[in-house]
Amino acid sequence: MTTVSNTNTSSNTSSSSSSRTSSSTATSVSSDYQMFLKLLTTQMTNQDPTSPMDSADYAVQLATFSQVEQQVKTNTLLTSLATQMGVMGMSEYANWVGMEARSESPGYFDGTNPVTISPNPVKGADATTVVVSDAAGNEVSRYTIPVSSDSLEWNGTDAEGNALPAGSYTFELESYDDGKLLSTDPIETYNRVVEAQGTSDGAVLVLAGGATVSTGSISALREPD
């Protein structure tokens, strides 16, 4: 199996941030534009006929009006550009579909194939225990593993060795030192990527079992067996 690290997070985050910033700016400027237009119209309608607005002042206000209008158009174009960049960013992840991605999302057990987990013991631990819980948060299995960051296979059985039903399961690692619990941490799992989607916050991946994760939360990719 070949593991490939995710290297596209920064571009995706940048596109998402640009989109939100441009959208917020466009809304603000558009609001100012509408208010300026309303004030200018009201001023012209209610001016004293015997003492009309000075032509120089009028010209300055028209120039300001034109600048605001151009700013609104510019920000609209920037928002459109940011949206297009977001879609382009999503297309970069299209080739991830069908691969197995590693993240802190629940592992999906299909009832037959084992789930690959990647524990990460804390420094100083001399014993580690995997705790498996079902989708409802009920503990279904607990077993000791070597103190190592090597990937392992969970075969979908409970504490008594009975087969568990298909579904999503969460994994945690308890790290001990001389019998004292040092920490309890999430264990990353490998899940097959079934879809890449574009959202207002950037590209996300839909995993087998229905979990949705951001592309930035993927720590590794591999070809399926």
Short mmCIF file of all heavy atoms in Angstrom, two decimals, residues 42-58 61:
data_model
loop_
_atom_site.label_atom_id
_atom_site.label_comp_id
_atom_site.label_asym_id
_atom_site.label_seq_id
_atom_site.Cartn_x
_atom_site.Cartn_y
_atom_site.Cartn_z
N THR A 42 -32.92 61.90 -1.78
CA THR A 42 -33.70 62.69 -0.81
C THR A 42 -33.22 64.13 -0.76
O THR A 42 -34.03 65.07 -0.72
CB THR A 42 -33.56 62.06 0.59
OG1 THR A 42 -34.04 60.72 0.57
CG2 THR A 42 -34.38 62.85 1.62
N GLN A 43 -31.91 64.30 -0.83
CA GLN A 43 -31.34 65.64 -0.81
C GLN A 43 -31.79 66.45 -2.02
O GLN A 43 -32.17 67.62 -1.91
CB GLN A 43 -29.82 65.56 -0.75
CG GLN A 43 -29.13 66.92 -0.66
CD GLN A 43 -27.62 66.79 -0.61
OE1 GLN A 43 -27.07 65.76 -0.97
NE2 GLN A 43 -26.94 67.84 -0.18
N MET A 44 -31.78 65.83 -3.19
CA MET A 44 -32.17 66.53 -4.41
C MET A 44 -33.67 66.85 -4.41
O MET A 44 -34.09 67.92 -4.87
CB MET A 44 -31.83 65.66 -5.63
CG MET A 44 -30.32 65.46 -5.85
SD MET A 44 -29.98 64.34 -7.23
CE MET A 44 -30.69 65.29 -8.59
N THR A 45 -34.46 65.93 -3.87
CA THR A 45 -35.92 66.12 -3.85
C THR A 45 -36.32 67.25 -2.90
O THR A 45 -37.27 68.00 -3.19
CB THR A 45 -36.62 64.82 -3.43
OG1 THR A 45 -36.25 63.78 -4.33
CG2 THR A 45 -38.14 64.99 -3.43
N ASN A 46 -35.61 67.39 -1.79
CA ASN A 46 -36.01 68.33 -0.75
C ASN A 46 -35.17 69.61 -0.71
O ASN A 46 -35.28 70.37 0.25
CB ASN A 46 -35.95 67.65 0.61
CG ASN A 46 -36.95 66.50 0.73
OD1 ASN A 46 -38.14 66.73 0.91
ND2 ASN A 46 -36.46 65.27 0.62
N GLN A 47 -34.36 69.83 -1.72
CA GLN A 47 -33.56 71.05 -1.69
C GLN A 47 -34.43 72.29 -1.90
O GLN A 47 -35.50 72.23 -2.52
CB GLN A 47 -32.45 70.98 -2.74
CG GLN A 47 -32.94 70.96 -4.18
CD GLN A 47 -31.79 70.90 -5.17
OE1 GLN A 47 -30.74 71.49 -4.93
NE2 GLN A 47 -31.99 70.20 -6.28
N ASP A 48 -33.98 73.40 -1.39
CA ASP A 48 -34.70 74.68 -1.50
C ASP A 48 -34.60 75.19 -2.94
O ASP A 48 -33.49 75.46 -3.40
CB ASP A 48 -34.09 75.68 -0.52
CG ASP A 48 -34.86 76.99 -0.48
OD1 ASP A 48 -35.80 77.17 -1.29
OD2 ASP A 48 -34.52 77.84 0.36
N PRO A 49 -35.72 75.33 -3.64
CA PRO A 49 -35.68 75.81 -5.04
C PRO A 49 -35.02 77.18 -5.18
O PRO A 49 -34.44 77.50 -6.21
CB PRO A 49 -37.15 75.84 -5.45
CG PRO A 49 -37.82 74.89 -4.51
CD PRO A 49 -37.10 75.04 -3.21
N THR A 50 -35.15 77.99 -4.12
CA THR A 50 -34.57 79.34 -4.19
C THR A 50 -33.09 79.34 -3.89
O THR A 50 -32.41 80.33 -4.12
CB THR A 50 -35.28 80.27 -3.20
OG1 THR A 50 -35.07 79.78 -1.86
CG2 THR A 50 -36.78 80.31 -3.49
N SER A 51 -32.60 78.20 -3.35
CA SER A 51 -31.18 78.10 -3.04
C SER A 51 -30.72 76.68 -3.32
O SER A 51 -30.44 75.89 -2.41
CB SER A 51 -30.92 78.45 -1.56
OG SER A 51 -29.54 78.40 -1.26
N PRO A 52 -30.66 76.33 -4.59
CA PRO A 52 -30.33 74.95 -4.98
C PRO A 52 -28.88 74.57 -4.60
O PRO A 52 -28.06 75.43 -4.31
CB PRO A 52 -30.52 74.95 -6.49
CG PRO A 52 -30.29 76.38 -6.89
CD PRO A 52 -30.85 77.21 -5.76
N MET A 53 -28.65 73.28 -4.64
CA MET A 53 -27.32 72.75 -4.31
C MET A 53 -26.27 73.33 -5.25
O MET A 53 -26.49 73.47 -6.44
CB MET A 53 -27.33 71.22 -4.45
CG MET A 53 -26.03 70.55 -4.05
SD MET A 53 -26.03 68.79 -4.51
CE MET A 53 -27.56 68.24 -3.74
N ASP A 54 -25.13 73.64 -4.67
CA ASP A 54 -24.02 74.17 -5.47
C ASP A 54 -23.58 73.11 -6.47
O ASP A 54 -23.45 71.93 -6.14
CB ASP A 54 -22.86 74.54 -4.55
CG ASP A 54 -21.71 75.18 -5.32
OD1 ASP A 54 -21.76 76.40 -5.54
OD2 ASP A 54 -20.79 74.43 -5.70
N SER A 55 -23.35 73.52 -7.71
CA SER A 55 -23.00 72.57 -8.77
C SER A 55 -21.70 71.83 -8.45
O SER A 55 -21.55 70.65 -8.79
CB SER A 55 -22.87 73.30 -10.11
OG SER A 55 -21.88 74.33 -10.04
N ALA A 56 -20.76 72.49 -7.80
CA ALA A 56 -19.49 71.84 -7.45
C ALA A 56 -19.73 70.71 -6.44
O ALA A 56 -19.18 69.60 -6.56
CB ALA A 56 -18.51 72.85 -6.88
N ASP A 57 -20.58 70.98 -5.44
CA ASP A 57 -20.90 69.94 -4.44
C ASP A 57 -21.62 68.77 -5.10
O ASP A 57 -21.40 67.61 -4.77
CB ASP A 57 -21.78 70.53 -3.33
CG ASP A 57 -21.04 71.54 -2.47
OD1 ASP A 57 -19.79 71.49 -2.45
OD2 ASP A 57 -21.70 72.38 -1.82
N TYR A 58 -22.49 69.13 -6.03
CA TYR A 58 -23.25 68.10 -6.73
C TYR A 58 -22.30 67.19 -7.54
O TYR A 58 -22.45 65.96 -7.56
CB TYR A 58 -24.26 68.76 -7.65
CG TYR A 58 -25.21 67.81 -8.33
CD1 TYR A 58 -26.14 67.07 -7.61
CD2 TYR A 58 -25.16 67.64 -9.72
CE1 TYR A 58 -27.00 66.19 -8.23
CE2 TYR A 58 -26.04 66.76 -10.36
CZ TYR A 58 -26.95 66.03 -9.61
OH TYR A 58 -27.80 65.15 -10.22
N GLN A 61 -20.48 64.78 -5.26
CA GLN A 61 -21.34 63.68 -4.81
C GLN A 61 -21.56 62.67 -5.94
O GLN A 61 -21.61 61.46 -5.70
CB GLN A 61 -22.67 64.23 -4.31
CG GLN A 61 -22.53 65.05 -3.03
CD GLN A 61 -23.87 65.26 -2.34
OE1 GLN A 61 -24.66 64.35 -2.22
NE2 GLN A 61 -24.10 66.50 -1.91
#
